[in-house]
Amino acid sequence: SIGMFASCEQLESIDFTNLDTSKVASMAYMFSKCKTLTSLDLRNFDTSKVEDMSRMFMSCTSLISLDLSNFKTPNLKNMSFMLFYCIALFSIKMNNFITSSVLYFDSLFSNCKKLASIDISYFDLSSAHELNQIFAVCSSLKEIHINFNNTSNIDYISRLFNKCNSLEIIDLGNMDTSS
């Protein structure tokens, strides 16, 4: 299902009632460039076998809110650019994501210009290799909570808060910089 709805620029809604995603390994680019979608009901998505969600919602420029709290992701490895350039995204719920196997978080929230706060303190970054520009150009972002307590595998971590000009609070948890 890589790019299943990608570049459906006039798509306004999708009914997923009977869509079986239980065997899907990649949701990369699934909704990329669906420029007129304002919301998605993904409650019925089974993400238990998904390994790749890179660019899943990239450039969904009208998406206002996204509730991914039902996503169970024990096999997820790639979240790079997942929400990149979702410039209207005001709220995101990802509180049940299992990120202990995720290697790539690059530009995950980059250019989400309407997000005012992000709490991903529950993300497990122990397998992460790349965190480049994860929050870059989130110009309305005032508050970030992320837990850097187990980051010994990170190879690339640059420009995390680049052009986050509204930032007032950054909570890094128990950041370990010993390696």
Side-chain angles (χ1 to χ4, degrees), residues 59-61 81 83-89 107-115 133-140 162-164:
S59 296
C60 288
T61 54
F81 295 86
L83 297 157
F84 179 81
Y85 207 71
C86 289
I87 57 174
L89 191 65
S107 297
L108 174 59
F109 300 103
S110 186
N111 283 279
C112 290
K113 296 179 181 190
K114 299 285 185 188
L115 277 178
Q133 300 186 41
I134 190 171
F135 306 110
V137 198
C138 290
S139 52
S140 297
N162 184 40
K163 296 186 181 178
C164 292

Side-chain angles (χ1 to χ4, degrees), residues 107-155:
S107 297
L108 174 59
F109 300 103
S110 186
N111 283 279
C112 290
K113 296 179 181 190
K114 299 285 185 188
L115 277 178
S117 106
I118 297 173
D119 183 354
I120 54 169
S121 57
Y122 46 84
F123 273 23
D124 180 346
L125 302 175
S126 60
S127 295
H129 285 278
E130 296 184 15
L131 285 169
N132 296 317
Q133 300 186 41
I134 190 171
F135 306 110
V137 198
C138 290
S139 52
S140 297
L141 199 56
K142 292 182 191 268
E143 189 171 344
I144 296 172
H145 298 272
I146 184 169
N147 196 344
F148 277 107
N149 67 339
N150 188 355
T151 56
S152 59
N153 289 320
I154 296 177
D155 297 318

Side-chain angles (χ1 to χ4, degrees), residues 38-133:
T38 56
S39 64
L40 286 165
D41 182 355
L42 304 175
R43 284 180 289 186
N44 293 329
F45 268 39
D46 180 343
T47 57
S48 59
K49 291 197 169 59
V50 177
E51 295 180 15
D52 189 354
M53 289 186 177
S54 64
R55 295 163 177 84
M56 186 173 179
F57 304 100
M58 183 178 76
S59 296
C60 288
T61 54
S62 297
L63 199 58
I64 296 168
S65 66
L66 197 54
D67 185 351
L68 307 177
S69 58
N70 65 307
F71 279 26
K72 307 295 186 269
T73 56
N75 295 299
L76 190 59
K77 295 190 179 8
N78 192 350
M79 293 176 75
S80 293
F81 295 86
M82 184 176 172
L83 297 157
F84 179 81
Y85 207 71
C86 289
I87 57 174
L89 191 65
F90 183 78
S91 108
I92 177 93
K93 291 181 184 175
M94 307 173 79
N95 51 310
N96 286 319
F97 263 66
I98 300 165
T99 60
S100 56
S101 296
V102 177
L103 304 171
Y104 308 105
F105 290 92
D106 295 48
S107 297
L108 174 59
F109 300 103
S110 186
N111 283 279
C112 290
K113 296 179 181 190
K114 299 285 185 188
L115 277 178
S117 106
I118 297 173
D119 183 354
I120 54 169
S121 57
Y122 46 84
F123 273 23
D124 180 346
L125 302 175
S126 60
S127 295
H129 285 278
E130 296 184 15
L131 285 169
N132 296 317
Q133 300 186 41

